[in-house]
Amino acid sequence: MDKLRITGGRPLNGEVTISGAKNAALPEICAALLTADPVHLNNVPRLRDVATMRLLLDNMGVQTETHGERGGMSFVAPDSLNPEAPYELVKTMRASVLVLGPLLARFGRAKVSLPGGCAIGSRPVDQHIKGLQAMGAEIVVEHGYMVAQLPQGRSRLKGARIATDMVTVTGTENFLMAAALAEGETVLENAAQEPEIPDLAEMLIGMGAKIEGHGTSRIHIQGVDRLHGCTHQVVADRIEAGTFLCAVAATGGDVVLRHGRADHLDAVIDKLRDAGAEIEVGDGFIRVRASGRLKAQSFRTTEYPGFPTDMQAQFMALNCIATGTSKVTETIFENRFMHVNELVRLGAKIQTDGKVAVIEGIDRLQGATVMATDLRASASLVIAGLVAEGETIVDRIYHLDRGYDQMEAKLRGIGADIERIK
Ligand code: EPZ
């Protein structure tokens, strides 16, 4: 298993390019299932999860190819496709559930393994099932698989009004894709507003879908009979950008993020400015400058446009070495403090009690060997290693590779002393 070896204490200076968003690319690859025409995506990030999703579609019979270093990827999903997603692949990536909506919409049937839990929580898919059943799908769970089909005599899903028990990002994405080809109108009452949703909606509109209200909590979709191919540019990854902002704020330095979308990071940028980082926003770039110890910031994670849960671990690493005591409340997932014990191994002073962590800022962390447990926890440990005294080894960084495109190369490019050990 690969490890990262980091020697901390160096400021970060220079320029880094933000890749396409993992959480936009994954649903947008699945959207290719909605048509037999070729679909082209640009700016697809080179990530393990993207490779897994591509494998999942290959496995069904989709022709896929990558081209050019601009992260180009093309898909042709033939009518003869086998609408199944096996456990072996689904268990490694929960986002596989995103094939359910498009397969049902286009083929009228699907057999998708239940994803199972993951480190940050049980993460059920009951809301996905509830919404698709509201659209007329018959879904039973047997032998660990969701077996979905349309009722006798029906050849299409039908539009419905869907109100989920809680805001769900991939649930909203499944419903968008299913409703695009359904008969009649669908209204999503408490849709997710994360920027990856409007990005997916724009791609679907480019394929001929009729969608309004994307980016707000209420989305209207008028189903159409068929969708055609398109070329779509994947939106920049706001969580990768936020991760680099936190890294520079923690180590000190001066870095320009090319392609960073500041308008997708208001809550994080506000907190970083309150902490004392200087953040300049321009057309297609974000510049962050920091020096010395910042002021620790309390925050609670909520649905977009609030503070993103995917940035909680990274900002906590910053709070560990900031001045003052801060309180972090995780309201989205029930077990997203896995990074806390590892940060404590680096000398951090953190107490957790259920959804709340209290961090007492100290001026130095000490390097140690730590273990990544999930994607964003890994990023948190890398940031901590960049500021810790001496050498830090981060083990099990396959978690990091799932969601960051060449993280260590990008960090080395701005002055970090970091290398991958095979
Ligand atoms: C998406 O996960 C992201 N993944 C996650 O990013 C992100 O943390 C999360 O949204 C919240 O922003 C992708 O987009 C691929 P949810 P998702 O459905 O859709 C509960 C990362 O680090 N829930 O919005 O799975 C659920 O348990 C990953 O890039 C149900 O109970 O999250 C959670 O508590 C991690 N039943 C809450 O809702 C359901 O059917 C929000 O989950 C669906 C969700």
Side-chain angles (χ1 to χ4, degrees):
M1 253 182 267
D2 288 6
K3 301 179 167 77
L4 283 178
R5 186 206 332 260
I6 306 165
T7 302
R10 299 173 56 155
L12 298 175
N13 291 290
E15 189 170 303
V16 72
T17 298
I18 298 302
S19 301
K22 166 177 87 78
N23 291 350
L26 294 177
E28 289 165 4
I29 290 169
C30 296
L33 294 166
L34 289 165
T35 178
D37 294 356
V39 167
H40 303 281
L41 289 176
N42 288 318
N43 198 33
V44 179
R46 273 161 293 190
L47 305 172
R48 180 189 287 262
D49 274 10
V50 166
T52 303
M53 190 63 91
R54 190 185 163 197
L55 205 55
L56 196 60
L57 267 61
D58 270 345
N59 190 54
M60 293 180 198
V62 177
Q63 292 130 44
T64 66
E65 64 183 74
T66 56
H67 35 83
E69 66 299 325
R70 278 169 3 106
M73 208 173 253
S74 295
F75 305 87
V76 177
D79 292 335
S80 58
L81 178 144
N82 170 30
E84 299 210 0
Y87 175 67
E88 296 66 43
L89 286 171
V90 173
K91 72 180 176 186
T92 65
M93 182 183 64
R94 299 182 31 74
S96 309
V97 71
L98 285 165
V99 302
L100 189 57
L103 289 176
L104 263 176
R106 170 135 176 251
F107 300 98
R109 63 193 176 87
K111 185 177 175 192
V112 178
S113 166
L114 277 173
C118 73
I120 63 178
S122 61
R123 301 184 68 188
V125 288
D126 57 308
Q127 302 298 310
H128 296 244
I129 293 173
K130 175 183 158 190
L132 293 169
Q133 286 175 331
M135 297 178 77
E138 290 174 348
I139 305 180
V140 292
V141 174
E142 47 192 42
H143 306 299
Y145 277 79
M146 290 177 279
V147 181
Q149 61 182 18
L150 294 183
Q152 283 301 329
R154 280 200 67 82
S155 62
R156 283 172 79 184
L157 291 169
K158 62 183 189 326
R161 180 185 163 280
I162 301 174
T164 45
D165 298 354
M166 78 293 290
V167 173
T168 159
V169 172
T170 48
T172 301
E173 290 163 349
N174 248 332
F175 304 148
L176 266 183
M177 293 188 279
L181 282 178
E183 197 170 345
E185 183 183 46
T186 296
V187 179
L188 307 185
E189 290 296 353
N190 56 342
Q193 302 177 59
E194 275 70 4
E196 294 76 29
I197 305 272
D199 197 59
L200 171 64
E202 289 303 325
M203 174 186 173
L204 293 171
I205 290 167
M207 295 169 75
K210 291 185 170 42
I211 302 172
E212 288 174 351
H214 40 292
T216 75
S217 61
R218 206 156 188 274
I219 304 179
H220 286 254
I221 306 106
Q222 192 63 40
V224 295
D225 293 345
R226 68 177 293 281
L227 294 171
H228 50 74
C230 73
T231 296
H232 178 75
Q233 165 105 353
V234 178
V235 68
D237 193 321
R238 62 193 166 95
I239 304 301
E240 184 192 21
T243 302
F244 277 99
L245 291 178
C246 282
V248 179
T251 60
D254 181 350
V255 171
V256 171
L257 307 186
R258 286 264 161 263
H259 302 162
R261 287 283 300 267
D263 56 327
H264 292 167
L265 277 166
D266 287 331
V268 175
I269 288 174
D270 286 352
K271 282 292 171 191
L272 286 169
R273 284 177 168 149
D274 292 349
E278 279 177 71
I279 296 183
E280 181 195 338
V281 171
D283 182 18
F285 77 88
I286 308 171
R287 181 178 181 187
V288 51
R289 276 172 284 180
S291 59
R293 284 180 75 186
L294 301 185
K295 289 188 302 300
Q297 297 299 310
S298 293
F299 61 89
R300 55 186 295 131
T301 64
T302 57
E303 296 85 3
Y304 194 87
F307 192 98
T309 174
D310 291 349
M311 281 300 305
Q312 179 255 105
Q314 299 91 309
F315 209 105
M316 187 184 286
L318 171 59
N319 277 343
C320 288
I321 40 105
T323 55
T325 299
S326 53
K327 188 169 118 173
V328 170
T329 307
E330 171 57 57
T331 74
I332 304 292
F333 289 109
E334 68 265 26
N335 184 29
R336 203 169 194 176
F337 284 153
M338 307 284 277
H339 42 287
V340 169
N341 291 335
E342 300 303 309
L343 290 169
V344 166
R345 283 184 47 71
L346 297 167
K349 291 196 179 340
I350 310 172
Q351 299 282 338
T352 62
D353 177 5
K355 288 181 174 296
V356 178
V358 177
I359 302 103
E360 185 191 330
I362 56 175
D363 59 355
R364 296 289 301 162
L365 294 175
Q366 292 95 30
T369 296
V370 288
M371 189 175 77
T373 51
D374 59 88
L375 168 54
R376 305 305 174 183
S378 326
S380 173
L381 296 175
V382 169
I383 292 172
L386 291 171
V387 301
E389 215 159 61
E391 182 175 277
T392 295
I393 302 285
V394 183
D395 203 349
R396 300 195 178 179
I397 56 155
Y398 61 87
H399 290 290
L400 194 79
D401 296 336
R402 292 191 52 179
Y404 287 97
D405 185 349
Q406 304 165 83
M407 162 77 86
E408 77 267 18
K410 291 185 178 183
L411 283 170
R412 219 176 11 252
I414 51 178
D417 181 347
I418 180 171
E419 63 173 336
R420 182 179 288 253
I421 313 167
K422 289 289 178 195

